[in-house]
Amino acid sequence: LGAPGAAGAKLVGKAPAKGPSRSALVNRRDAFRGIIPLLAMRPLATLAITSQYLPPGSETEEFKSLDAKATEFKRKQLEYKAEWEKLTLKLLDATADDQVMTALKALQVSFFETGKANLPEGVSRETWLRRVRRKQADMEAKGKWGKDVRLRFLDLKTAIDISKKPKPMGDGPVMG
């Protein structure tokens, strides 16, 4: 064996430490110690959570009118949803093509009469389509759900799909 540090000599000692070095830990502690005085400089009153709501009874007229509009919208949506569900059940309970056509026409009228041409709040497009598609499969297995019914259903489905697409902002072209 040769002199220490000579080529081929083995160093006996500790394995290199894993994880952050001692100097890195010291630097983190120093950084944390630097933050504490900054926090102490800020008044404690500004740290308190303050309420941005008005106390009860001090609502403005604008707030009251907006609240009334929101309540009216919710009421109309609940009525529309009840009507939509009633018409959907008529469609699902139909046993002949003429009954299905009547139910689909009623759904179309209801859909477009809302003024927004949209499904009611709380009615999922996918869930509604899944229910109707099951009915369609059952009726097609029995030799029903003819061409006229298919076309009427596709008209309604297309209108629903278009209503779910984002509307363009401004006067730009409609992307479709």
Side-chain angles (χ1 to χ4, degrees), residues 41-57:
M41 289 173 30
R42 188 171 179 193
L44 292 177
T46 60
L47 293 176
I49 298 173
T50 58
S51 175
Q52 295 180 358
Y53 297 104
L54 294 173

Side-chain angles (χ1 to χ4, degrees), residues 28-39:
R28 288 184 199 150
R29 288 183 190 140
D30 290 339
F32 184 69
R33 286 185 192 131
I35 293 174
I36 292 174
L38 294 174
L39 292 174

